[in-house]
Amino acid sequence: MEIVVLLKQVPSTESLVEIAADGVSIKTDDIKWVMNPYDELAVEEALKIRESGEGQVTILTIGPEKAVEAMRTALAMGADKGVRIDPGDLRLDGLGTAKVLAAALKEMPYDLIIAGHRAVDDDNYQAGPAVAELLGIPNISMVIKQDISDGKIQCHRTVEGGTVVIESPLPALITTQRGLNEPRYASLPGIMKAKKKPVDVKPIADLGLDENALAGKTTIAALTPPPERKGGRVLDGDTAQDKVTALVNALRDEAKAI
Amino acid sequence: MAQLIADRRDIDFVLHEQLNVGELSKHEKFAEFNKKTIDLTISEARNLSIKEILPTRQLGDQEGCRFEGGKVTVPECFHKVWDLFLEGEWLAMPEDPDWGGQGMPRTVSMAAGDYFNGANYAFMMYPGLTHGAAKLVEEFGTPKQKEMFLKNMFTGKWTGTMLLTEPEAGSDVGALNATAVKNDDGTYSISGSKIFISSGEHDLAENIIHPVLARIEGAPAGTKGISLFLVPKIWVNEDGSLAGSNDVVCTGIEEKMGIHANSTCSLTLGGKGQCRGLLLGEENKGMRAMFLMMNEARLLVGMQGLSCASASYLNAVNYARERVQGRNLLQMMDPSTPPVPIIQHPDVRRMLLTMKSYVEGMRSLLYYVGFLGDQIQISDDETEKVRLQGLIDLLIPVCKGYVTDKALEVCSHGIQVYGGYGYIKEYPQEQLLRDCRITMIYEGTNGIQAMDLLGRKLGMNKGKPILDLMAEIQKTIAEAKQVDHLKEHAAKLEAALNKLAETAMHLGATAMSPKVLAAFAFAHPFLEASGDVLMAWMLMWRAVLAAEKLEQGTKKKDTAFYEGQLSSAQFFNSVMLPITIGKMDSILATHPAAVDITEDAFGGK
Ligand SMILES: Cc1cc2nc3c(=O)[nH]c(=O)nc-3n(C[C@H](O)[C@H](O)[C@H](O)COP(=O)(O)OP(=O)(O)OC[C@H]3O[C@@H](n4cnc5c(N)ncnc54)[C@H](O)[C@@H]3O)c2cc1C
């Protein structure tokens, strides 16, 4: 079984994010970079599948030299090899990213592709399904459980208030949702082995894509930080009774929560 | 989000900029550990520490260990992190891969340990003692003993302890009474009672291997008659399988000030006459074996202290940035100005910079001593090896005694910065101080460390190690004198160093005169003065490197870090060292008040 994990390096959610001077990107100087948390689930699931059978796990990422760090973490967790597509100066949006990934995948063997359902930086939810579309293979998103047998994959997918069970033939692409598994930590021996595992680097130009077609169809017009949280409010009232009445009124009339 | 436990930038600075540990990988012994692997190792240690181990610190403190019917249970949440720790194979980082270790440079394992210990060192004592006990087997065991025990210990399947202390034998280990009688099959029957045994009984592993100091019947009195035995909780057959209970009974655990989550056990060996042990090393050579392991154990205790201090500092500085209270001193008279974060108040800044400079200086000192050990490993020059070992031996009492003294002070500042909240259990600061306190006592009290420095280490090898150390410090002073921002501070360090040499000569001579008792009443002040000068040195060394980097131009975040290095060095050399000069004046005067006072005059009768 050939499994490919689509992996993205993203700013750690513990980093303080500031908007850069151009107003459409973030300052990256002081950012700590990590593997997208949903991709950790993807790596873990790929390793589990490999452990229960045979095959290998390849990590595919688009990113600058630095992105190798997240890839190494995946290799230290136990993945077998990595491929990094170097985008150079090209700025890719969700669709552009999918096109590049799909082009790279066409040159690789795969039975199953696993991606995070979204990356926590852009929150686009697009790359995974778009790659499946471009490759012409089935896509099952938001998977919290999967089972492979007889060339088919059966998945539990979260939907509002419940789950649906979906089955598809392989090859297929699935995207991960929290609850799928608990990603392992890299072990020390894993870390030592990671550096000997092969990582291929390919410039985007080698994929034979028309760079003009890749250039973002969407552009970021502006970034604004979320509104600062407003201070709390203390309800007035002489007795507990009064305060509860005020609270119920506020919840019903203002917040419309009840 | 603010950093927790230890500042990653600072760890990276010591590893890569101050000590250049990546260079060790040029030698085949450490070839596997290039900079990238080191960085990934530290990242993963940090990841596991913050996500899994840190959440058990407060829980473990609250739940503590429980004793019932001879069995001890550790806090429930420890089982999961224990499994994760073993799965990651973190227990024997610097040890031989043939026995389940990873062959990592000690310096790097210490940096990983910085996170592990800072996350919860009461937990880390279980693997830490296991590691230490296994080292004894590796160093002194027969091939058969290694085969029986080593791998199971380095992988944490079985844990280890250290059984020295008895009610009548604390600081004076030589006074111990546990006895051993040789049996026909070559084993020894052991009997005695040990107290204060860390991790002596627990429910994390199927077996516990106790290295025990005991006296073979008829052996000479004092330390010369002590032998070392391996006493398993459950007897191990020669093929490695487990036999039955070995008559090692836990009779209770202590209620204590801190490290509630680590069991401190009273153990009775051979109460039913059925406890057997295997001699480890030679008869009557137990203390020698102990001494060989002592450096490592004492360095680890220094690390435990540093970890508490480092965690307390990061908490404090983050808290000070957020806690708003009082107006800026310059706008004190204007009631319309808003209150400010307390980090703006000069007195809070004084505390924070005191904490920062100690934590940085201590981290550098401890890693440096680990690094000296790594260099011995890859050197094939015998004189150089002797020089490096001399430096280690000399510095160990400072790494243990001084560092843990100062770590407690840092933890106390860490409470003070929080004000009343620092005293409240909901916040982490009070636990860090409670946990930290024992590091000044076990593994040889700090008083014993001070006597070791004055009585043994100073005069060792005709004083060559201390001269070697001074030569190292002089190198840094010479470099610092070339740097504008550091010149004047370097002159202060030089003056303090010269005075320390004078103080050492004086105290050494006094210790060999009729005033010997007075001299030893100044052993601890001397340890403190030595530690102060070493802190000043380490911070100056850091500042020289930082000044160079600033000159070359740096990124914004790095600029703040490097400027912070200059501040620490300036603060310690110009604000703290003058006090050290005063301490040394006091030592030079060697006033014998403490030894002259009669016991009755202490009053209280
Ligand atoms: C939580 C905890 C865990 C421990 N874990 C272990 C363990 O795992 N294994 C183990 O074997 N032991 C352990 N110990 C024991 C510990 O090492 C001893 O408590 C310590 O060595 C001091 O011995 P003592 O308590 O008998 O104090 P004492 O030796 O009675 O010392 C009391 C005071 O007198 C001073 N003093 C004593 N002798 C001299 C001297 N000659 N000159 C100057 N001053 C002196 C000491 O510095 C100290 O200030 C532990 C203790 C605790 C509290």
Side-chain angles (χ1 to χ4, degrees):
Chain A
M1 177 90 128
E2 290 287 343
I3 310 168
V4 181
V5 174
L6 309 183
L7 181 145
K8 185 176 187 187
Q9 190 184 38
V10 297
S12 154
T13 44
E14 71 182 67
S15 297
L16 181 69
V17 171
E18 288 177 286
I19 297 170
D22 65 7
V24 294
S25 62
I26 60 167
K27 292 187 193 166
T28 51
D29 256 15
D30 293 350
I31 294 271
K32 186 175 160 263
W33 298 89
V34 297
M35 190 192 314
N36 177 39
Y38 293 101
D39 302 351
E40 287 182 13
L41 302 173
V43 174
E44 176 64 32
E45 202 62 14
L47 295 175
K48 277 190 166 158
I49 295 170
R50 186 194 64 189
E51 281 158 9
S52 65
E54 270 176 46
Q56 58 174 353
V57 176
T58 306
I59 307 294
L60 175 60
T61 193
I62 306 175
E65 172 94 54
K66 202 172 167 37
V68 173
E69 290 166 18
M71 179 121 78
R72 288 270 173 227
T73 304
L75 295 174
M77 286 167 75
D80 299 289
K81 58 189 173 76
V83 177
R84 176 173 73 86
I85 310 294
D86 196 317
D89 295 332
L90 207 60
R91 209 150 141 180
L92 298 163
D93 64 4
L95 185 58
T97 301
K99 284 180 180 164
V100 173
L101 291 171
L105 282 158
K106 279 182 182 149
E107 296 171 13
M108 300 163 63
Y110 59 82
D111 301 300
L112 178 66
I113 302 169
I114 313 182
H117 78 258
R118 68 187 157 106
V120 298
D121 52 355
D122 294 336
D123 268 352
N124 250 332
Y125 295 80
Q126 291 193 8
V131 166
E133 182 65 24
L134 291 166
L135 293 175
I137 58 172
N139 160 56
I140 306 173
S141 350
M142 310 286 260
V143 172
I144 52 167
K145 184 171 174 231
Q146 61 74 28
D147 190 24
I148 295 172
S149 63
D150 301 334
K152 279 186 258 170
I153 185 165
Q154 194 184 67
C155 298
H156 290 231
R157 175 206 200 284
T158 55
V159 289
E160 186 83 47
T163 55
V164 280
V165 181
I166 302 177
E167 191 177 271
S168 105
L170 293 176
L173 185 148
I174 67 171
T175 67
T176 62
Q177 169 63 311
R178 259 184 227 293
L180 176 62
N181 57 44
E182 203 175 317
R184 71 194 64 190
Y185 291 91
S187 71
L188 254 186
I191 291 168
M192 314 267 294
K193 282 186 208 134
K195 75 167 174 300
K196 293 191 189 124
K197 292 180 176 171
V199 174
D200 261 4
V201 184
K202 287 188 193 165
I204 224 165
D206 286 10
L207 295 173
L209 291 163
D210 174 3
E211 293 209 2
N212 291 327
L214 288 179
K217 296 263 190 294
T218 59
T219 49
I220 297 174
L223 289 178
T224 43
E228 289 210 15
R229 219 188 295 166
K230 295 198 191 84
R233 181 171 127 205
V234 179
L235 295 170
D236 294 325
D238 293 334
T239 63
Q241 187 94 42
D242 293 350
K243 287 183 191 168
V244 170
T245 310
L247 176 62
V248 171
N249 286 341
L251 286 173
R252 190 180 53 217
D253 302 337
E254 296 169 39
K256 308 228 185 295
I258 51 175
Chain B
M1 209 175 91
Q3 295 212 41
L4 295 167
I5 305 178
D7 188 334
R8 179 65 194 270
R9 184 67 187 83
D10 197 58
I11 288 182
D12 287 346
F13 176 77
V14 181
L15 289 180
H16 298 308
E17 295 171 70
Q18 187 174 16
L19 302 176
N20 278 320
V21 287
E23 292 287 298
L24 291 170
S25 69
K26 288 194 176 144
H27 193 277
E28 61 164 312
K29 180 160 176 58
F30 296 127
E32 301 278 307
F33 291 90
N34 59 14
K35 179 170 183 297
K36 284 204 172 125
T37 303
I38 293 171
D39 288 346
L40 190 54
T41 303
I42 309 295
S43 293
E44 291 305 317
R46 176 177 185 268
N47 199 21
L48 182 62
S49 297
I50 291 180
K51 286 197 195 145
E52 303 288 346
I53 305 179
L54 184 59
T56 66
R57 184 164 72 198
Q58 197 186 24
L59 280 176
D61 181 62
Q62 286 164 352
E63 192 178 330
C65 290
R66 263 164 244 202
F67 174 76
E68 236 182 279
K71 299 260 173 270
V72 176
T73 45
V74 300
E76 180 57 36
C77 57
F78 276 22
H79 291 276
K80 181 182 171 203
V81 282
W82 174 251
D83 289 344
L84 287 172
F85 195 80
L86 298 192
E87 276 163 26
E89 301 191 25
W90 294 100
L91 193 145
M93 291 182 267
E95 304 313 331
D96 190 340
D98 288 347
W99 294 114
Q102 306 298 334
M104 183 187 291
R106 179 152 313 263
T107 326
V108 181
S109 75
M110 287 171 80
D114 222 332
Y115 281 111
F116 291 137
N117 284 311
N120 186 353
Y121 100 75
F123 167 75
M124 283 305 293
M125 286 173 74
Y126 296 99
L129 280 151
T130 304
H131 181 218
K135 282 293 284 181
L136 279 173
V137 179
E138 187 182 23
E139 201 78 29
F140 303 103
T142 60
K144 183 81 214 162
Q145 287 170 340
K146 287 190 203 177
E147 200 188 304
M148 284 165 67
F149 296 101
L150 211 45
K151 200 151 195 171
N152 281 340
M153 294 178 80
F154 275 153
T155 55
K157 189 173 172 210
W158 299 342
T159 66
T161 58
M162 203 74 262
L163 271 63
L164 283 71
T165 305
E166 297 176 10
E168 309 302 324
S171 297
D172 183 7
V173 181
L176 62 80
N177 285 317
T179 56
V181 180
K182 192 161 184 177
N183 300 318
D184 295 340
D185 64 356
T187 63
Y188 290 75
S189 290
I190 310 285
S191 61
S193 292
K194 297 283 178 178
I195 57 164
F196 291 165
I197 303 309
S198 301
S199 319
E201 172 61 31
H202 58 78
D203 56 348
L204 285 173
E206 64 176 17
N207 202 4
I208 304 176
I209 311 303
H210 305 288
V212 176
L213 285 186
R215 198 180 295 284
I216 296 174
E217 262 191 344
T223 51
K224 287 199 184 74
I226 292 177
S227 306
L228 180 59
F229 300 89
L230 272 188
V231 179
K233 170 179 155 184
I234 298 174
W235 187 254
V236 180
N237 296 318
E238 288 219 353
D239 64 358
S241 62
L242 294 181
S245 152
N246 190 34
D247 195 11
V248 178
V249 177
C250 178
T251 55
I253 59 174
E254 307 294 339
E255 291 287 327
K256 49 197 191 297
M257 175 179 180
I259 55 167
H260 292 160
N262 188 269
S263 56
T264 306
C265 306
S266 301
L267 297 178
T268 299
L269 311 176
K272 296 190 217 115
Q274 285 161 9
C275 176
R276 284 183 293 163
L278 300 169
L279 180 69
L280 193 55
E282 294 171 48
E283 288 193 354
N284 298 338
K285 295 278 170 64
M287 278 314 279
R288 217 189 95 236
M290 236 21 357
F291 269 115
L292 281 173
M293 301 318 296
M294 222 168 246
N295 277 354
E296 199 167 320
R298 290 182 171 173
L299 194 57
L300 174 65
V301 175
M303 281 300 297
Q304 293 171 338
L306 165 67
S307 303
C308 293
S310 170
S312 181
Y313 169 59
L314 289 187
N315 292 339
V317 70
N318 295 327
Y319 185 83
R321 287 189 170 112
E322 283 170 8
R323 168 69 175 167
V324 173
Q325 193 71 194
R327 282 188 289 276
N328 187 302
L329 204 55
L330 298 174
Q331 279 126 31
M332 210 57 167
M333 306 313 279
D334 177 0
S336 69
T337 54
V340 296
I342 58 172
I343 197 169
Q344 292 188 20
H345 301 314
D347 188 56
V348 173
R349 298 171 82 91
R350 168 191 64 81
M351 290 190 279
L352 291 175
L353 192 48
T354 305
M355 296 173 82
K356 175 179 186 289
S357 51
Y358 275 126
V359 168
E360 291 169 350
M362 297 191 299
R363 176 168 291 128
S364 282
L365 177 66
L366 295 174
Y367 287 22
Y368 173 71
V369 171
F371 187 63
L372 294 173
D374 288 331
Q375 285 175 297
I376 291 181
Q377 297 265 313
I378 59 171
S379 168
D380 36 37
D381 172 348
E382 285 309 314
T383 14
E384 176 62 0
K385 282 191 185 185
V386 171
R387 185 186 77 92
L388 294 167
Q389 189 60 48
L391 288 174
I392 295 177
D393 291 342
L394 175 66
L395 289 171
I396 285 293
V398 184
C399 290
K400 197 283 180 182
Y402 178 83
V403 166
T404 60
D405 275 357
K406 294 302 157 186
L408 188 89
E409 280 180 28
V410 170
C411 289
S412 181
H413 286 307
I415 290 179
Q416 199 70 15
V417 169
Y418 271 62
Y421 302 90
Y423 198 70
I424 305 296
K425 282 198 185 256
E426 192 183 335
Y427 296 84
Q429 300 299 74
E430 60 86 32
Q431 187 193 343
L432 288 169
L433 179 128
R434 284 187 290 107
D435 284 354
C436 188
R437 187 61 182 82
I438 184 61
T439 61
M440 295 163 64
I441 297 169
Y442 59 23
E443 208 39 60
T445 63
N446 289 358
I448 298 293
Q449 303 302 318
M451 289 168 63
D452 181 44
L453 178 65
L454 175 61
R456 292 185 54 235
K457 303 298 176 62
L458 272 188
M460 198 173 47
N461 245 337
K462 301 200 176 76
K464 182 167 180 300
I466 181 101
L467 293 178
D468 287 342
L469 179 67
M470 291 195 168
E472 291 296 317
I473 302 177
Q474 287 290 358
K475 279 188 212 161
T476 306
I477 292 173
E479 283 170 15
K481 280 183 174 170
Q482 308 298 316
V483 181
D484 277 346
H485 296 294
L486 298 174
K487 251 185 217 148
E488 81 180 270
H489 309 282
K492 289 182 183 142
L493 173 56
E494 187 169 37
L497 180 65
N498 291 337
K499 188 145 186 163
L500 185 68
E502 183 192 342
T503 311
M505 297 276 284
H506 164 80
L507 213 51
T510 314
M512 292 197 282
S513 77
K515 293 188 196 148
V516 51
L517 292 181
F520 275 92
F522 285 88
H524 190 276
F526 179 72
L527 172 73
E528 173 146 331
S530 308
D532 287 352
V533 172
L534 287 165
M535 289 296 103
W537 168 39
M538 284 296 164
L539 294 169
M540 188 63 76
W541 180 355
R542 286 164 160 258
V544 169
L545 299 170
E548 227 168 75
K549 294 279 161 78
L550 284 169
E551 188 114 322
Q552 292 159 9
T554 50
K555 283 195 218 159
K556 181 181 145 211
K557 189 178 183 185
D558 278 344
T559 307
F561 176 80
Y562 290 128
E563 285 173 355
Q565 294 307 306
L566 295 186
S567 301
S568 295
Q570 292 165 354
F571 175 77
F572 210 93
N573 281 277
S574 288
V575 179
M576 306 295 261
L577 266 194
I579 303 169
T580 310
I581 298 284
K583 291 178 195 169
M584 291 194 278
D585 280 334
S586 156
I587 301 170
L588 285 167
T590 332
H591 192 282
V595 289
D596 284 354
I597 180 173
T598 63
E599 281 176 33
D600 283 342
F602 278 104
K605 274 192 176 173

